[in-house]
Amino acid sequence: MKTAENTATLAPPAKKEKVSITGSQAVLNALIAEGVDTIFGYPGGAIMPIYDALYDYHEKLRHILVRHEQGGIHAAQGYARTSGEVGVVFATSGPGATNLVTGLADAMIDSTPVVCVTGQVFAHLLGTDAFQETDVINITTPVTKWNYQVTDASEIPEIMAKAFYIAKSGRPGPVLIDITKNAQIQKIDYEGYTPCQHIRSYRPKPIVRKEFVREAAALINSAEKPFVIFGQGVILGKAEKEFKRFLEKSGIPAAATILGLSALPTDHPLHMGMLGMHGNYGPNVLTNDCDVLIAVGMRFDDRVTGRLDKYAKQAKVIHLDIDPAEIDKNVKTTVAVWGDCKETLPLLTELVEQKKYPEWIKKFRDCQQQEVDAVIREELNPTTEVLTMGEVVKAINEFTGGDAVIVTDVGQHQMVACRYAKFTTTKSNITSGGLGTMGFALPAAIGAKFGAPDRTVIAIIGDGGFQMTLQELGTVMQSEVDIKIVILNNQFLGMVRQWQQLFHDKRYSFVDIASPDFVTVAKGYGIEGNKISKRADLKEAIEKMLNHNGSYLMEIMVGKENNVFPMVPQGCGVAEIRLK
Amino acid sequence: MLKQEYTITVYTENHIGLLNRIAIIFSRRKINVDSLNTSPSEVEGIHRFTIVINEFEDTVKKLVRQIEKQVEVLKAYYNTNEEIVWQELALYKVSTDEIAEKVKVERLLRENGARAVVIRKDYTIFETSGHREETEKLVEVLEPYGLIEFVRSARVAIIKASKGFHEKLKEFEEVEPGAEIVENEFLDKQDEVFSM
């Protein structure tokens, strides 16, 4: 566990003698003082002085050479998501930096703490269209929580400290520090590293207004059909225990957003499933039936709410969030409890009455039964010959018991995995939620494993998304990381095909995607693999994959034109969810 | 609720790039900024943005929260025109020959509160300040006499009810500031807060 307090002891005391070091060394000293052990990066001209300094730090800092900077930042995101620490990325100027943009946007919308250090051309060349010069600060401004260009090395210790503080405090997010080459080379009188604990213009942790907690509690206590919806805020706030205690005392049924999954064990009696476009039937339908809706650390994304003017109109809404800009952004709240849910949840727990809602929960169970009959039974125990994505996920559950980290890409397989994967442990569901970045899973899984080395990491990826970043198999090979890759191949860009089937008269426009022989590709990287298409081979193949020492790729051929249901069609309210 | 003019006042650190960070909050939502001014504030080292937009109050509220979310922003306020005192400055360049011949012009200028900044043989520059309608009216007045150049500044505004930022800044500098600084101000203004 790294906190500002104990990193302070790592840093030399302030009155220590000055030593002369380069800006590059100051960057690396900052990383060590912040407790960083892993960097994902790719060298290049403008960041060479930092890489040169890294040569001498290789015992303290592990550097994972990725195959593309996008892979680097997704890996750092995966690392941050499983470890709860800040992910760190190095990239060079120009194309190196622009390749980070997708990952920055992903980390921004999914509130992932990442610090990117990019090299930049010499300060005197800024604005001259120098080789590999690009205006990284302005390109990344909309997709970073904070960014800063360093042109003088003396700024580096303070700026790095601010970068880490901003990335991980409050609502976390990505930070980019662009350092000109001259500043990397420049010598400074170094007096040690002081972690940042305060920026006067920045208020990461609001003071909790107790009167609003009281109002929220009163509203909850007066409710007959209260419903909790929770998001990643519970995980980012490290408030899983507080959240569970709140639920268990109040007795309120709860459902997760996609990024909230694993904050509460899947088989918890009050866990009613997943919200959203492909979420569970009950949580969607009953959102429009509850009388008090309690949103915890979630942001009412349009994929969760469907049509806003048909969303929970009958309910009083309580919104617990650390980010004041989220309150009333999409859904008008009745009571807003602004604050870190680690603080607000216990206050609320204390004031809510111990209750049970058997009749109300029965409604969820009834809906669940309808969903089982219409969708789930056939998906998990298909009567058709072809394999379904759902039965693969179910088979994985059987072997892992829900203890694995499941990393998913984007599309049908993501929705199926999130619907059916079992989670016993927090920080186990790593996926690109807000941005929907295809190509996320493979690099994120690499990072996820470095962030949680003792856990089994399984990347479930579609045939389309895998081909977006499959060069990271090179990173898997070279770093010898142990990840299990499951490609669910339906020979289509499945989610787009599903929409074309349902809403575009089956006009399958450019969704028919050809794939290489993935097992052979993996073999080329020295990664063992297997391809199956029969139900009879499924369990044995999964067992073999999980028992394999080292990374493994398994390609599973699944039904070509299977659809993900239930579904809230775009432009519809959550209660208009379709079971078929 | 109708769209109306709102003046957003933002107290910030002096940080390169912050102007862009604030500007893209508007451009991302395709909202036109009518006027934007950056200047020092009453507190040394603290900058003050004055931004004018024509929008619904609900939208303005959300924009202000997004602005305040930026790391280098200390505080953002929004006000209607009734809640502020504001001015814009305008400069007008006209031919000296043209106006020297016509005594009427001088009277018109005086009536509009304009004063001459520069008088040269070839041209004269007048200056006036006031609300948009006032500076615009003088354009109409001068146009018949050959207005060579016209320019108007962004709006600068003082919030009538504000006590300034000196005291607030002291609180911001505290590691554990009082409730006044971190209080959830907008919550107090909520229309339908549930009460027991």
Side-chain angles (χ1 to χ4, degrees):
Chain A
M1 203 54 176
K2 282 154 274 187
T3 62
E5 291 83 65
N6 63 29
T7 50
T9 59
L10 286 171
K15 278 181 190 167
K16 206 187 165 188
E17 283 172 48
K18 291 175 181 175
V19 281
S20 179
I21 64 168
T22 64
S24 297
Q25 288 170 316
V27 170
L28 300 179
N29 284 354
L31 299 186
I32 290 165
E34 290 289 346
V36 173
D37 57 12
T38 309
I39 301 159
F40 301 93
Y42 205 101
I47 199 170
M48 280 182 66
I50 289 178
Y51 270 85
D52 184 63
L54 190 59
Y55 195 75
D56 296 326
Y57 281 69
H58 69 274
E59 280 173 9
K60 291 179 189 158
L61 291 165
R62 171 173 52 188
H63 178 274
I64 306 300
L65 179 68
V66 294
R67 293 299 180 270
H68 185 285
E69 290 83 355
Q70 185 189 350
I73 186 162
H74 289 332
Q77 290 178 272
Y79 177 91
R81 296 267 283 268
T82 53
S83 68
E85 306 293 341
V86 179
V88 178
V89 187
F90 282 176
T92 194
S93 66
T98 57
N99 281 344
L100 296 176
V101 170
T102 303
L104 288 169
D106 196 288
M108 186 71 176
I109 201 163
D110 281 352
S111 310
T112 312
V114 173
V115 170
C116 297
V117 175
T118 51
Q120 181 55 281
V121 300
F122 285 89
H124 72 271
L125 292 174
L126 286 171
T128 66
D129 302 321
F131 178 66
Q132 289 193 331
E133 185 201 354
T134 191
D135 184 357
V136 180
I137 292 298
N138 278 306
I139 288 175
T140 61
T141 294
V143 289
T144 49
K145 185 173 173 187
W146 189 66
N147 59 9
Y148 191 83
Q149 185 173 62
V150 175
T151 51
D152 187 310
S154 63
E155 295 178 290
I156 289 175
E158 190 198 332
I159 292 300
M160 290 300 289
K162 275 179 85 170
F164 275 88
Y165 176 60
I166 292 167
K168 68 189 172 190
S169 58
R171 178 177 180 175
V175 170
L176 183 136
I177 305 300
D178 193 39
I179 308 178
T180 56
K181 202 167 177 181
N182 57 293
Q184 297 171 37
I185 298 163
Q186 187 191 338
K187 291 258 184 182
I188 56 165
D189 289 333
Y190 183 68
E191 293 175 73
Y193 184 78
T194 314
C196 178
Q197 282 159 341
H198 176 65
I199 297 169
R200 69 175 180 184
S201 58
Y202 172 60
R203 293 272 149 245
K205 252 194 190 176
I207 288 176
V208 177
R209 293 272 295 266
K210 297 215 169 110
E211 63 269 40
F212 293 109
V213 177
R214 279 195 294 273
E215 283 178 12
L219 199 48
I220 291 169
N221 290 337
S222 70
E224 284 169 15
K225 294 187 285 183
F227 181 32
V228 168
I229 54 179
F230 63 99
Q232 196 193 197
V234 176
I235 298 172
L236 292 171
K238 300 183 169 70
E240 295 91 347
K241 274 185 199 152
E242 290 79 0
F243 178 65
K244 198 161 154 246
R245 229 170 276 150
F246 166 70
L247 281 188
E248 286 170 357
K249 183 176 179 195
S250 65
I252 304 173
T257 68
I258 186 168
L259 294 185
L261 288 172
S262 85
L264 182 73
T266 316
D267 56 7
H268 191 279
L270 290 169
H271 199 320
M272 299 300 147
M274 185 170 78
L275 297 157
M277 185 175 264
H278 293 289
N280 291 108
Y281 187 62
N284 274 303
V285 170
L286 298 176
T287 295
N288 281 7
D289 192 8
C290 68
D291 56 358
V292 176
L293 189 65
I294 305 130
V296 184
M298 57 85 71
R299 59 184 178 83
F300 293 106
D301 180 84
D302 63 278
R303 286 296 195 266
V304 162
T305 62
R307 224 173 109 163
L308 271 177
D309 59 3
K310 291 184 177 178
Y311 183 79
K313 284 289 156 196
Q314 80 296 340
K316 293 229 161 45
V317 178
I318 298 170
H319 194 177
L320 283 72
D321 207 285
I322 197 164
D323 178 1
E326 285 304 334
I327 288 164
D328 286 347
K329 187 185 80 177
N330 295 333
V331 171
K332 201 94 182 130
T333 47
T334 316
V335 180
V337 182
W338 181 29
D340 187 338
C341 61
K342 183 134 185 130
E343 289 172 37
T344 54
L345 281 169
L347 293 172
L348 202 53
T349 307
E350 206 170 298
L351 298 175
V352 296
E353 290 159 12
Q354 181 120 27
K355 272 196 187 172
K356 286 203 165 79
Y357 299 90
E359 277 170 44
W360 172 227
I361 285 172
K362 187 175 175 296
K363 276 195 161 183
F364 282 91
R365 296 294 171 217
D366 291 346
C367 285
Q368 191 186 24
Q369 192 54 49
Q370 280 186 59
E371 190 180 339
V372 166
D373 293 340
V375 179
I376 298 174
R377 187 176 302 118
E378 181 61 25
E379 180 69 32
L380 298 187
N381 304 291
T383 49
T384 53
E385 200 182 317
V386 290
L387 283 165
T388 66
M389 293 182 179
E391 68 180 314
V392 175
V393 176
K394 182 185 156 211
I396 290 172
N397 285 342
E398 282 166 18
F399 286 102
T400 63
D403 293 337
V405 174
I406 303 290
V407 186
T408 47
D409 213 75
V410 170
Q412 285 186 319
H413 74 277
Q414 175 193 32
M415 291 299 117
V416 172
C418 290
R419 283 176 53 77
Y420 300 110
K422 215 175 129 182
F423 299 108
T424 57
T425 319
T426 184
K427 301 194 186 82
S428 295
N429 176 46
I430 313 301
T431 193
S432 168
L435 200 67
T437 307
M438 284 176 70
F440 175 83
L442 179 61
I446 296 168
K449 181 69 182 180
F450 282 109
D454 299 332
R455 303 188 61 191
T456 302
V457 174
I458 302 172
I460 301 177
I461 317 180
D463 45 326
F466 188 74
Q467 291 186 68
M468 280 205 179
T469 49
L470 68 73
Q471 76 282 351
E472 298 307 330
L473 287 175
T475 311
V476 175
M477 171 181 70
Q478 191 171 357
S479 69
E480 295 178 357
V481 68
D482 177 1
I483 59 167
K484 313 302 181 193
I485 304 159
V486 177
I487 300 175
L488 297 178
N489 188 350
N490 58 7
Q491 302 164 66
F492 267 123
L493 297 174
M495 187 58 92
V496 180
R497 189 209 53 74
Q498 175 172 343
W499 283 47
Q500 288 175 347
Q501 179 191 337
L502 298 174
F503 312 118
H504 296 274
D505 296 328
K506 281 199 175 184
R507 286 154 55 90
Y508 288 172
S509 183
F510 303 99
V511 288
D512 183 355
I513 186 169
S515 292
D517 180 340
F518 291 121
V519 177
T520 305
V521 171
K523 201 176 164 199
Y525 284 99
I527 298 164
E528 262 199 63
N530 187 15
K531 177 177 176 176
I532 62 160
S533 54
K534 290 200 185 83
R535 184 161 297 123
D537 303 329
L538 180 62
K539 290 197 177 168
E540 195 191 326
I542 289 174
E543 193 173 14
K544 190 180 166 199
M545 171 183 82
L546 292 173
N547 290 334
H548 180 76
N549 191 15
S551 285
Y552 194 92
L553 180 144
M554 183 157 65
E555 180 184 2
I556 303 179
M557 303 307 289
V558 293
K560 274 190 85 168
E561 296 189 43
N562 290 359
N563 289 333
V564 187
F565 281 109
M567 179 178 193
V568 181
Q570 203 160 39
C572 292
V574 282
E576 295 167 84
I577 187 166
R578 287 169 58 173
L579 281 168
K580 56 187 169 182
Chain B
M1 228 193 323
L2 286 170
K3 279 191 184 183
Q4 61 163 313
E5 223 169 60
Y6 285 95
T7 300
I8 300 171
T9 305
V10 192
Y11 287 93
T12 76
E13 299 289 355
N14 182 10
H15 176 81
I16 295 173
L18 185 59
L19 174 62
N20 188 25
R21 254 184 203 279
I22 290 176
I24 60 179
I25 289 171
F26 298 93
S27 57
R28 176 179 173 187
R29 294 166 178 82
K30 217 172 173 191
I31 289 168
N32 198 31
V33 172
D34 289 344
S35 139
L36 186 152
N37 184 77
T38 71
S39 77
S41 72
E42 60 272 24
V43 184
E44 204 192 323
I46 300 294
H47 270 233
R48 180 170 177 155
F49 285 61
T50 308
I51 304 164
V52 184
I53 58 167
N54 197 15
E55 262 303 334
F56 299 108
E57 185 177 6
D58 198 45
T59 309
V60 176
K61 230 188 235 182
K62 288 178 191 176
L63 290 167
V64 164
R65 282 180 210 163
Q66 294 294 341
I67 292 170
E68 213 170 87
K69 189 166 148 175
Q70 304 307 316
V71 170
E72 272 96 7
V73 170
L74 289 127
K75 205 80 195 145
Y77 304 94
Y78 71 91
N79 294 97
T80 59
N81 288 346
E82 290 71 45
E83 294 165 342
I84 56 167
V85 173
W86 85 93
Q87 295 277 284
E88 290 170 345
L89 176 88
L91 297 176
Y92 313 75
K93 189 205 253 178
V94 286
S95 155
T96 306
D97 284 350
E98 190 80 8
I99 54 154
E101 280 173 20
K102 292 161 182 147
V103 190
K104 206 176 138 204
V105 179
E106 218 186 298
R107 187 169 56 81
L108 284 171
L109 288 166
R110 225 177 301 124
E111 278 174 6
N112 284 283
R115 65 180 191 95
V117 187
V118 174
I119 304 170
R120 284 172 44 134
K121 267 188 191 158
D122 45 350
Y123 64 81
T124 298
I125 296 174
F126 295 103
E127 172 219 296
T128 187
S129 60
H131 288 188
R132 175 90 31 119
E133 315 80 71
E134 292 158 347
T135 53
E136 241 155 42
K137 201 176 144 217
L138 194 53
V139 173
E140 281 167 37
V141 167
L142 289 174
E143 250 167 2
Y145 307 104
L147 180 60
I148 302 167
E149 270 190 72
F150 167 68
V151 66
R152 181 173 53 217
S153 76
R155 172 185 291 190
V156 290
I158 296 275
I159 304 167
K160 289 177 188 169
S162 169
K163 293 188 183 107
F165 211 69
H166 299 278
E167 289 308 309
K168 284 225 163 178
L169 185 70
K170 280 184 203 154
E171 289 245 26
F172 271 99
E173 282 168 349
E174 298 290 319
V175 177
E176 293 290 341
E180 204 210 329
I181 289 311
V182 288
E183 76 187 355
N184 203 343
E185 281 174 35
F186 65 89
L187 284 178
D188 297 331
K189 291 183 186 165
Q190 256 191 343
D191 316 327
E192 283 182 9
V193 173
F194 170 83
S195 53
M196 287 170 278

